[in-house]
Amino acid sequence: MVDLSGNTLAEAVEMLAIPHRRKVALRKLMAAGRAATPAVRAGLTHEDPEVRMACCQVLDHFMDEQALPELAANVNHWHPGVRAWSIHALACDRCKEGTCRPGEDDVIPMVVEALLHDDDRNVRQQAAGMLGPSVLRSEAARAAVQRAHQHDPHPAVRKVAGWWVPGGPRYRKLRA
């Protein structure tokens, strides 16, 4: 196993670009929690998509309000994995530790856009899952999930969206 105990958090972010060091570097950043935020925010602009995705994963758990612009910019990144992870980091409440969460009014329009217009089915599927918990609070989320359930070209996206439409299994749990 690679030992990164002597490395700085910025060095750990750089090591995310090295496949055989990525897991250990990610564990170091996760263990550092909010202390890693400055290094992780810098990683959101890294040229390697693997680094950006890993930084999104850290911020998914340890959200920092100052990272919101960088995360939002990654929703439009050329790499679909970066887009999917940035959507997840912005929209998932379940993973968050602490109190910092982006406001739904800011996030939902970005996620709706991804669900309805992204070229990659994995990004659309992630967006459907992230919008789902908001369908009772947001008309835009509900309408986008219903449209995806009825019209998305990929069956996996239609399936995930179907969980959250009125009458769907997760929708019924939300109503309970």
Side-chain angles (χ1 to χ4, degrees), residues 2 9 14-17 21 31 44-45 64 74 81-82 84 87 113 120 149 163 165 169 172-173:
V2 178
L9 296 171
E14 285 302 319
M15 289 180 193
L16 293 168
R21 294 189 178 204
L44 289 174
T45 60
D64 177 357
N74 278 301
V82 173
I87 287 169
E113 176 68 21
D120 188 86
H149 176 60
W163 295 341
V165 297
R172 288 193 305 267
K173 284 184 180 181

Side-chain angles (χ1 to χ4, degrees), residues 45-173:
T45 60
H46 198 280
E47 65 183 36
D48 188 327
E50 294 292 336
V51 173
R52 289 183 188 224
M53 287 186 284
C55 290
C56 287
Q57 290 174 40
V58 175
L59 287 168
D60 181 35
H61 289 268
F62 304 103
M63 180 57 70
D64 177 357
E65 188 175 345
Q66 294 178 339
L68 295 178
E70 290 103 336
L71 280 169
N74 278 301
V75 170
N76 297 313
H77 191 268
W78 64 266
H79 191 281
V82 173
R83 294 194 306 271
W85 268 109
S86 62
I87 287 169
H88 185 100
L90 286 166
C92 182
D93 278 343
R94 208 173 35 153
C95 300
K96 303 291 182 281
E97 299 177 25
T99 58
C100 181
R101 288 171 170 70
E104 280 190 341
D105 292 342
D106 298 323
V107 173
I108 286 177
M110 287 185 279
V111 182
V112 165
E113 176 68 21
L115 174 59
L116 298 179
H117 302 292
D118 200 280
D119 293 335
D120 188 86
R121 77 107 174 151
N122 292 311
V123 174
R124 294 192 314 275
Q125 188 173 331
Q126 179 77 267
M130 293 297 101
L131 279 177
S134 301
V135 296
L136 295 180
R137 298 183 301 275
S138 167
E139 174 61 29
R142 187 191 56 74
V145 167
Q146 284 182 311
R147 181 173 172 176
H149 176 60
Q150 294 170 349
H151 301 291
D152 194 275
H154 199 279
V157 177
R158 292 192 306 269
K159 177 182 177 180
V160 172
W163 295 341
W164 299 103
V165 297
R170 293 194 178 168
Y171 181 89
R172 288 193 305 267
K173 284 184 180 181

